[in-house]
Amino acid sequence: MTHPDTALADVMNRSRCLLFDFDGPICGIFAGLPAPSIAADLCELVAGRGVDIPREVTTSGDPFDVLRYAATFSPDLTQAVADELRALELRAVEVASATPHARQVIEAAHQAGRAIAAVSNNSREAVTRYLTTAGLAPMFTRIIGRTDPDPDLLKPSPHLITRAVKELGADSAECVLIGDSLSDIEGARNAGVFNVGYANKPGKLERFTTAGADAVITSMGELLPHLAERQAASD
Ligand SMILES: [Mg+2]
């Protein structure tokens, strides 16, 4: 088994392009406007249209569970929930909390000449607003977020990741996705890019390791030593 530090160094050295999941690695989007309250608002919208919602959806506290449930009904309902979710995400980013070391990592990567993209299941408008307000947007070559209401296009689908790779003019083998969910690790694998799991909560390190993450970090700061100029690739 490769030593964890060696694995991270190797992945970062091979990756000219850094793809950052948004919620987690860059900020906690729902820190000020909690996800369960957004999920409750979305459930209210769905119920208001006369659709019964199963208990596992009303109690999950995850807005994306409500979106996925709406998508089992009709395109109209899916669009309505996606629109409302986008509106709430736009409010949430105003009171989101910055992830420790995220700014340093992005600045160091930019200075080192790496291409940087955000690849998020959150709406593109919300991600763009956060990055713009934080002054980080100019360092991003691309901002890829949810633009289509269809939840099947979100990670773990490779759809958004593959789009980022294409728009960066890159090859998947020179990209890494840094994300804090199993869906990021699966999505990266589905898209053929490297992945680094950011284990920002108890239990994630074990889950990501079991899922076969290429590398796992517990602080975004762990990326900093690996962002200087890349060494000549040794295959
Ligand atoms: Mg995330």
Side-chain angles (χ1 to χ4, degrees), residues 21 23-25 180-181 184:
D21 168 39
D23 183 18
D180 70 324
S181 300
D184 294 306

Side-chain angles (χ1 to χ4, degrees), residues 169-234:
D171 190 277
S172 56
E174 54 180 357
C175 298
V176 58
L177 175 71
I178 297 135
D180 70 324
S181 300
L182 280 175
S183 61
D184 294 306
I185 291 169
E186 284 171 38
R189 192 171 295 139
N190 291 338
V193 307
F194 292 113
N195 66 76
V196 171
Y198 170 38
N200 54 357
K201 291 205 179 106
K204 282 192 180 182
L205 194 144
E206 294 73 17
R207 281 206 293 281
F208 293 167
T209 304
T210 305
D214 294 320
V216 182
I217 55 176
T218 54
S219 161
M220 288 296 285
E222 288 172 56
L223 297 175
L224 286 169
H226 303 289
L227 292 173
E229 246 173 73
R230 293 161 65 222
Q231 314 285 312
S234 55

